[in-house]
Amino acid sequence: MKSQFNIFHNVDKPVIILYLILVSIGWLSIYSADFIEGQSGFFSLQTSYGRQLLFILTAILAAGAILMINARFFYSFSRIIYAIAILLLVSIFLAGVEINATRAWFRIGGFAIQPSEFAKFATALALAAYISNIRTKKPTKANIYKSIVIVLIPALLTLMQKDVGTTLVFSAFVFALYREGWISGIVLFMGGLAVTLFILTMIFNEFIIIGVLASITLLLMFFLRKRQGSAIRLIGLFVLLSVYVYSVDLAFENILQAHHKSRIEVLIYGDSDLQGAGYNLHQSKIAIGSGGFWGKGFLQGTQTQFNFIPEQTTDFIFCTIGEEWGFVGSITLIGLFLALLLRLIALAERQKSSFSRVYAYSVVSVLFVHFAINIGMTIGLVPVIGIPLPFISYGGSSLWAMTLMLFTLLKLDAERLEMT
Amino acid sequence: MHIQRNTNQHTHRKTVFSAIILGVSLLLLVRLFVLQIADPSYKAFARSNYLRHVTDFPSRGLIYDRNGDLLVYNEAHYDLMVIPGQVGDIDTLLFCNLLNISVETFESRLLQARRHSRFRASVFERQISKTTFAAFQEKLFRFPGFFVQPRNLRKYTYPIAAHTFGYVGEAGPSVINNDPYYRPGDYIGISGIELAYEKELRGQKGLRIRMVDVMNRDIGPFQEGRHDTLAVAGKDLHTTLDANLQLYGEQLMQNKRGSIVAIEPSTGEILALVSSPSYDPGLLVGRQRTRNYRALQNDTLSPLFNRALMAQYPPGSVFKIVSTAIALQEGVINPGTRHNCSGIYHTRGISIRCRDHPSPVDALSSIQHSCNTYSSILFQQTINQPRFENIQQSFDHWRSYLESFGLGQMFGSDLSYELPGIVATSDYYNRIYGERGWRSQTILSLGIGQGELGVTPLQLANVTAAIANRGHFFTPHIVRAVDTPDNLQNRFGLANHIPIDRVHFETIAKAMQLVVEEGTASFSQIPDVTMAGKTGTVQNPHGENHSVYVAFAPVDNPRIAISVIIENAGYGSVWAAPLASLMIEKYLNGEVNRTWFEQRVKEADFITATP
Ligand SMILES: [Zn+2]
């Protein structure tokens, strides 16, 4: 067959185009953020945009290689890949180096490699393989717990490396489990409620929240008074949530590390503490906010060019886009991500095998959580948690891992007719 | 598609998941809309982040004396400024150590600056020393939000003429609210020449907008400097003062309370303006200004009070030169009119004492001997002239002569804090005595320069200059030229004429010459210089009388007119006249030969000697 010789046969073109656009936007933003007048060298490894160009080219080569691999490979080797990823995460404790207060890196030559980025890929494969396995396919309680353990192992390992951002990303797999019917809508709702209450507890006094919860409970009891037993259930829920809110507050006061606490406090108290933890967020909001409607133009962002934004090529790359391309640029970027995510959901839904579908949903979920948290933190919607913006932020590990995940999905999709 | 559609029953959950994604994206967009479009404050923050409005303060104009001698100039110093919105995470302890301030001081100053403005620069520490400046300049990059602003401070060649120069201080809130030119921390002339010529001296501030990066490093001009303006240096002032004469006058006035005003009659230029006790103008400069000012303010001798312009004395006998000139013009006497003097003058229950002198006296000798009887008679005759319907009319007529001499009103000179003096109006006497209740004898003391009369030393010197000019004067002023010595101010170039014929002034001048040559001031003659003068002794109910003397010289071609008042020094002939003669000798001859005379005046002490 002719298709044997064309690696792009059946590969979804819209996703490839979106991928290339996002990677290009990322490179231009890094170029602008790291640009110094009079300094040349697109290909110089001294500049971050020079290195990112290298990362992009190798990522594209890797993507091509993935498209040449038989899709069954990923299913067959999913456990081995997962085992390797876990081993790498463990070996970090022996041979890793610490960067930005996070012990999550290997240093190889001049480059730092972050295994936790690849662990997301491995976990997605392992989870998909486990759920799609005929023997374990039934969502019994034991199976559900086992699937959660698959996610929890790498999540806990990254937490032990103080990489809270990556740990949070592992919660993305909830969406994949939800889609497969392994987790009910109520659990997802309760999860969402838990996250919302968590953030609200950070912002308001816990007793105010409990008070508001009590009022809502009373209102609901009034409206549902004709229903049998609703009052008892509502009161039970109220007690449960109150205990949760109170313990979150206790945990926040006693368990969280100082720098996480202060990052969350920044959200609570806004821009007041500009000399301490609030500085990053404040500068980020200034850069994005000053972009206005049309932006200041490429290489014209004053906050970007004069280095007011910390970590501006990595976690805060969105500042450069917001400042130089304005609201128009922000809306475009969010639109591109939205198009990619929705397209990937469509791809996931057309899979014949549950392995491919679970994997695809895992990828969409991970991308979505990265996207939402990263942009959310630059504009002060979520605490400053250091995770990169996929395909945009500077960094080889992130780009390679995301490319690997995406093109594995594309390969599975391209061969969906052959797989059952 | 021959393979059956996916059998998974949870396909609706795809919609839930998509809705979550869409919902979160919408949330992000709403937040971005608020940040980027609805809330303009971030644009201001961004500008203050990277734009530094650098004010270039022009050097303040220099002040010269009439001979081109530099009197007031500038010395550079440095203010440490802060833009609170940009103060990042700095090493507060190192900062405080460099400045030698406590952390609490640091916090409170920062808070104060923040209250003023987050985006505008405020002064954090004034006039930091050169060593602090050097240490700071090195480490400035570690303190984003702080920068050093060069400024100028006044320096004085000689410690003289403090009242005349005035001083420069920070613009207060009322100035800042009313004049957009001034910003907090800006300097402004507060008194003296510095106040009167503030607009000329200050120049024009320049503004440069610079771009800085996060390390507070200068990146370059904003938009190629198209918004920048250059500072324009202040204009120099060429004063009328003679520095040597001023210095000499202040030396002569040491340990005395009083004043000297010397005027060049042909121009109205003030040659010397001494108010004693005085202070070193350098005290009211820089960081110690407020403290020194308070000390001067609390000084019981009130050194801040500018007696030359603001003290108002009844002129006493020197007023006879004015009242006699008026009487001559009114025709109630002529130079030959004689009256007897028995040493006391009686009229309707009022008596005025006179001193022992030859009798009878005529117009000239009455001035020469300062005869109170003669002055009282001519004053009554002037007021009682039958051509006036009532005393109000005749008094107002007499009073208009005084106004023409510049008494009872301000000159509109370029001196700050000039006072008008006191010349009572007929309304005033009407109120006190009733319209029909006063006669010439009621106000008889005016005839000998007492009573409801208040004259400033400047006015007294000006009257003398008018007599020296035989009937006109030029508004006394302190600055001859602005910018260059040739750029003369013409606003003081118009003569003010007194409606008294020249011939009568000649009579007065001759009488005053007699005062010096054969009269009350003969003790103070200057060798080879003709001088016309008049002594006065001002009654002081609170203590020893004030010693007063006015004079001009040379008589035929007057180059200097002078008034001297020494408080609590007794007779005018004893202290004021000798001191004035020394000033005139110094000015006309360049040096004083009567050294024993000079010594005697310098050593006289009426401050520590008076209880
Ligand atoms: Zn007499």
Side-chain angles (χ1 to χ4, degrees):
Chain A
M1 282 203 293
K2 198 183 164 197
S3 64
Q4 295 279 332
F5 302 101
N6 182 3
I7 58 165
F8 291 110
H9 177 70
N10 265 345
V11 174
D12 193 67
K13 301 294 181 300
V15 171
I16 293 199
I17 290 166
L18 285 168
Y19 169 79
L20 291 174
I21 292 174
L22 286 172
V23 166
S24 309
I25 289 175
W27 186 82
L28 284 174
S29 304
I30 293 162
Y31 178 77
S32 181
D34 206 26
F35 173 75
I36 296 166
E37 212 162 307
Q39 182 180 312
S40 65
F42 284 1
F43 306 105
S44 161
L45 294 185
Q46 299 301 311
T47 62
S48 59
Y49 48 87
R51 284 194 297 273
Q52 183 74 0
L53 197 60
L54 180 72
F55 298 151
I56 290 171
L57 293 175
T58 50
I60 289 172
L61 284 178
I66 289 163
L67 292 182
M68 283 192 278
I69 296 171
N70 189 307
R72 288 190 182 279
F73 166 85
F74 299 108
Y75 177 75
S76 318
F77 280 78
S78 58
R79 284 179 198 181
I80 295 169
I81 293 172
Y82 181 75
I84 293 172
I86 298 299
L87 264 175
L88 281 174
L89 281 179
V90 171
S91 58
I92 282 278
F93 295 104
L94 307 171
V97 292
E98 196 164 303
I99 295 177
N100 290 341
T102 303
R103 192 180 179 83
W105 304 78
F106 281 126
R107 197 175 282 286
I108 299 169
F111 298 104
I113 290 176
Q114 199 176 7
S116 55
E117 291 292 336
F118 298 96
K120 294 167 199 165
F121 168 66
T123 307
L125 282 179
L127 189 68
Y130 181 77
I131 290 175
S132 63
N133 189 307
I134 291 154
R135 276 165 298 170
T136 58
K137 215 168 182 175
K138 287 244 158 63
T140 62
K141 262 189 185 157
N143 287 343
I144 290 173
Y145 290 141
K146 277 179 200 160
S147 67
I148 289 173
V149 166
I150 292 174
V151 179
L152 270 180
I153 292 171
L156 287 174
L157 284 170
T158 52
L159 188 63
M160 286 163 75
Q161 294 157 10
K162 300 178 201 162
D163 188 356
V164 179
T166 307
T167 309
L168 268 174
V169 171
F170 281 100
S171 66
F173 291 102
V174 168
F175 291 115
L177 290 171
Y178 165 73
R179 168 61 186 85
E180 284 307 300
W182 283 45
I183 284 178
S184 71
I186 289 180
V187 173
L188 192 69
F189 173 76
M190 293 300 286
L193 196 62
V195 171
T196 313
L197 282 177
F198 181 88
I199 293 174
L200 288 176
T201 311
M202 298 294 131
I203 299 173
F204 302 105
N205 183 296
E206 68 270 25
F207 295 111
I208 292 174
I209 295 170
I210 292 171
V212 171
L213 284 174
S215 326
I216 293 171
T217 308
L218 283 174
L219 269 176
L220 287 174
M221 279 165 72
F222 176 75
F223 284 115
L224 304 173
R225 64 187 181 278
K226 299 242 168 83
R227 280 209 205 170
Q228 285 277 307
S230 66
I232 293 163
R233 260 179 256 153
L234 281 169
I235 288 171
L237 186 66
F238 166 71
V239 170
L240 198 71
L241 291 176
S242 302
V243 169
Y244 170 74
V245 165
Y246 191 72
S247 48
V248 162
D249 189 68
L250 269 183
F252 178 72
E253 292 300 330
N254 302 317
I255 298 167
L256 269 184
Q257 284 181 338
H259 76 275
H260 282 122
K261 209 154 119 181
S262 63
R263 279 172 176 187
I264 293 166
E265 277 170 345
V266 166
L267 268 188
I268 304 162
Y269 303 114
D271 303 348
S272 60
D273 180 22
L274 298 185
Q275 295 178 39
Y279 183 75
N280 289 13
L281 178 61
H282 182 63
Q283 293 297 343
S284 166
K285 277 156 77 179
I286 288 174
I288 295 168
S290 66
F293 188 77
W294 291 109
K296 298 174 188 170
F298 186 53
L299 300 181
Q300 304 300 311
T302 52
Q303 311 306 300
T304 298
Q305 298 307 324
F306 302 148
N307 305 319
F308 284 100
I309 308 144
E311 298 166 55
Q312 58 180 337
T313 59
T314 54
D315 294 348
F316 284 92
I317 191 69
F318 184 72
C319 296
T320 303
I321 294 163
E323 187 187 15
E324 299 196 339
W325 302 107
F327 187 62
V328 173
S330 307
I331 224 172
T332 306
L333 190 80
I334 288 172
L336 287 168
F337 267 104
L338 209 51
L340 179 70
L341 293 170
L342 295 178
R343 181 67 195 162
L344 291 180
I345 289 175
L347 257 56
E349 286 296 328
R350 76 185 185 191
Q351 298 310 310
K352 297 290 175 290
S353 75
S354 55
F355 171 75
S356 302
R357 188 176 57 243
V358 173
Y359 175 77
Y361 262 101
S362 299
V363 173
V364 179
S365 306
V366 166
L367 284 178
F368 168 61
V369 168
H370 266 271
F371 157 76
I373 290 183
N374 180 278
I375 295 184
M377 79 177 185
T378 60
I379 56 184
L381 280 181
V382 292
V384 176
I385 297 162
I387 58 170
L389 187 58
F391 314 121
I392 307 285
S393 286
Y394 166 80
S397 298
S398 166
L399 182 64
W400 286 331
M402 292 298 173
T403 304
L404 200 60
M405 287 177 86
L406 188 70
F407 279 83
T408 302
L409 196 166
L410 288 182
K411 183 63 187 174
L412 291 173
D413 175 62
E415 293 189 7
R416 69 187 179 277
L417 295 179
E418 283 82 39
M419 285 179 69
T420 46
Chain B
M1 292 233 183
H2 58 280
I3 295 172
Q4 216 190 342
R5 191 85 186 84
N6 194 316
T7 51
N8 193 298
Q9 68 270 45
H10 298 293
T11 43
H12 74 279
R13 294 191 169 188
K14 161 206 160 192
T15 321
V16 173
F17 186 43
S18 304
I20 291 173
I21 293 178
L22 279 168
V24 168
S25 301
L26 195 67
L27 195 67
L28 294 178
L29 280 179
V30 169
R31 176 71 176 157
L32 280 163
F33 177 83
V34 170
L35 276 184
Q36 299 189 293
I37 295 170
D39 187 347
S41 71
Y42 291 99
K43 288 163 192 71
F45 267 118
R47 275 193 296 278
S48 87
N49 246 349
Y50 82 102
L51 292 185
R52 202 65 83 245
H53 292 254
V54 183
T55 307
D56 288 330
F57 289 95
S59 60
R60 204 168 168 84
L62 309 179
I63 301 179
Y64 295 90
D65 90 334
R66 64 189 294 109
N67 303 313
D69 201 352
L70 181 62
L71 301 179
V72 184
Y73 57 101
N74 302 305
E75 194 183 55
H77 72 97
Y78 303 93
D79 282 351
L80 182 62
M81 310 293 289
V82 63
I83 300 173
Q86 279 149 21
V87 177
D89 194 3
I90 67 164
D91 185 346
T92 314
L93 212 61
L94 172 69
F95 186 93
C96 291
N97 282 342
L98 276 176
L99 272 190
N100 199 18
I101 58 170
S102 71
V103 177
E104 292 79 56
T105 312
F106 173 86
E107 299 288 350
S108 78
R109 284 189 193 171
L110 199 60
L111 191 72
Q112 207 178 344
R114 193 181 291 252
R115 281 208 197 99
H116 164 235
S117 167
R118 287 175 76 101
F119 307 125
R120 269 188 211 289
S122 299
V123 180
F124 187 85
E125 171 97 358
R126 213 166 287 296
Q127 295 146 39
I128 55 176
S129 70
K130 285 201 178 77
T131 43
T132 312
F133 171 67
F136 238 97
Q137 195 74 332
E138 255 172 52
K139 299 198 173 69
L140 207 57
F141 71 94
R142 295 178 64 174
F143 307 123
F146 289 90
F147 65 98
V148 172
Q149 174 94 63
R151 298 293 295 266
N152 285 317
L153 272 192
R154 283 308 213 190
K155 288 285 273 184
Y156 301 89
T157 315
Y158 316 105
I160 57 166
H163 300 101
T164 306
F165 295 145
Y167 64 95
V168 172
E170 247 173 69
S174 65
V175 173
I176 293 163
N177 292 338
N178 293 322
D179 188 340
Y181 179 85
Y182 298 98
R183 300 239 171 264
D186 280 8
Y187 291 152
I188 187 172
I190 303 230
S191 69
I193 293 178
E194 301 278 16
L195 170 65
Y197 287 89
E198 164 68 11
K199 286 227 157 50
E200 287 81 359
L201 286 169
R202 77 181 183 196
Q204 190 71 36
K205 283 187 285 190
L207 186 70
R208 285 177 296 130
I209 309 181
R210 308 290 298 179
M211 300 190 293
V212 295
D213 70 359
V214 68
M215 303 296 278
N216 215 15
R217 285 178 299 226
D218 194 302
I219 301 295
F222 175 60
Q223 295 185 349
E224 286 87 45
R226 103 175 45 135
H227 308 286
D228 297 1
T229 52
L230 285 173
V232 180
K235 289 180 177 140
D236 296 343
L237 295 184
H238 300 270
T239 66
T240 61
L241 287 179
D242 182 307
N244 288 329
L245 190 64
Q246 177 76 27
L247 180 62
Y248 188 62
E250 294 195 15
Q251 285 167 352
L252 292 177
M253 283 301 281
Q254 68 192 10
N255 295 321
K256 300 165 190 73
R257 236 182 309 218
S259 57
I260 307 172
V261 181
I263 296 175
E264 183 178 69
S266 60
T267 57
E269 291 176 5
I270 295 170
L271 303 170
L273 195 66
V274 178
S275 173
S276 183
S278 187
Y279 56 92
D280 180 348
L283 286 176
L284 296 188
V285 169
R287 284 154 75 107
Q288 305 301 322
R289 189 173 62 79
T290 315
R291 213 190 60 187
N292 290 338
Y293 188 85
R294 207 161 290 145
L296 290 170
Q297 219 171 13
N298 293 335
D299 191 326
T300 50
L301 296 172
S302 24
L304 289 172
F305 181 55
N306 190 349
R307 289 177 162 77
L309 305 184
M310 300 177 77
Q312 304 177 104
Y313 308 89
S317 298
V318 295
F319 186 68
K320 287 170 185 163
I321 57 179
V322 174
S323 60
T324 308
I326 297 170
L328 286 167
Q329 178 67 21
E330 287 294 302
V332 297
I333 56 164
N334 60 56
T337 306
R338 288 164 169 259
H339 290 292
N340 286 316
C341 174
S342 59
I344 191 156
Y345 174 65
H346 296 287
T347 176
R348 308 212 180 183
I350 290 170
S351 51
I352 287 187
R353 293 191 153 277
C354 190
R355 65 185 57 77
D356 187 29
H357 62 80
S359 178
V361 287
D362 61 12
L364 272 77
S365 55
S366 76
I367 287 174
Q368 178 190 348
H369 300 299
S370 199
C371 176
N372 287 343
T373 303
Y374 196 91
S375 289
S376 301
I377 293 166
L378 68 82
F379 177 71
Q380 281 200 293
Q381 286 174 344
T382 308
I383 298 297
N384 293 342
Q385 286 183 82
R387 64 184 175 107
F388 296 109
E389 286 175 17
N390 52 40
I391 189 163
Q392 282 81 8
Q393 223 176 56
S394 68
F395 179 81
D396 286 342
H397 181 68
W398 181 79
R399 190 181 184 283
S400 70
Y401 278 109
L402 302 196
E403 281 183 351
S404 74
F405 275 96
L407 303 179
Q409 59 193 14
M410 289 193 280
F411 289 113
S413 164
D414 55 354
L415 296 153
S416 317
Y417 305 127
E418 193 192 330
L419 283 189
I422 300 157
V423 179
T425 58
S426 54
D427 288 343
Y428 172 81
Y429 294 112
N430 286 343
R431 268 203 306 282
I432 297 204
Y433 304 110
E435 257 180 70
R436 299 183 164 276
W438 54 293
R439 303 276 178 276
S440 63
Q441 64 270 19
T442 321
I443 53 172
L444 190 57
S445 57
L446 289 178
I448 54 165
Q450 303 282 357
E452 294 78 18
L453 265 182
V455 176
T456 67
L458 177 69
Q459 287 173 329
L460 219 45
N462 184 63
V463 165
T464 316
I467 294 166
N469 287 336
R470 316 305 201 253
H472 67 270
F473 68 89
F474 297 90
T475 301
H477 56 281
I478 197 72
V479 172
R480 316 175 56 223
V482 176
D483 208 7
T484 62
D486 318 315
N487 187 25
L488 294 175
Q489 298 209 84
N490 47 23
R491 60 175 164 143
F492 303 119
L494 272 179
N496 301 283
H497 288 278
I498 294 162
I500 294 175
D501 298 339
R502 184 179 178 90
V503 59
H504 303 312
F505 281 109
E506 292 289 4
T507 305
I508 301 294
K510 194 170 283 172
M512 287 170 73
Q513 195 172 359
L514 281 173
V515 168
V516 175
E517 283 165 11
E518 299 162 24
T520 50
S522 55
F523 177 55
S524 301
Q525 288 182 58
I526 309 162
D528 306 322
V529 173
T530 57
M531 175 167 70
K534 179 75 192 78
T535 59
T537 306
V538 178
Q539 288 170 16
N540 175 16
H542 310 294
E544 187 70 39
N545 290 342
H546 302 325
S547 176
V548 182
Y549 185 66
V550 298
F552 62 88
V555 176
D556 292 326
N557 177 30
R559 288 175 54 208
I560 179 170
I562 193 167
S563 76
V564 173
I565 295 180
I566 307 173
E567 291 180 15
N568 314 117
Y571 290 113
S573 55
V574 181
W575 292 109
L579 194 149
S581 77
L582 288 169
M583 288 291 282
I584 292 172
E585 185 180 6
K586 176 81 174 174
Y587 182 66
L588 294 181
N589 295 347
E591 55 180 2
V592 172
N593 287 323
R594 298 173 291 158
T595 43
W596 67 271
F597 205 76
E598 182 183 62
Q599 197 68 21
R600 172 183 169 270
V601 171
K602 272 188 188 173
E603 282 170 3
D605 184 343
F606 298 107
I607 287 180
T608 44
T610 320

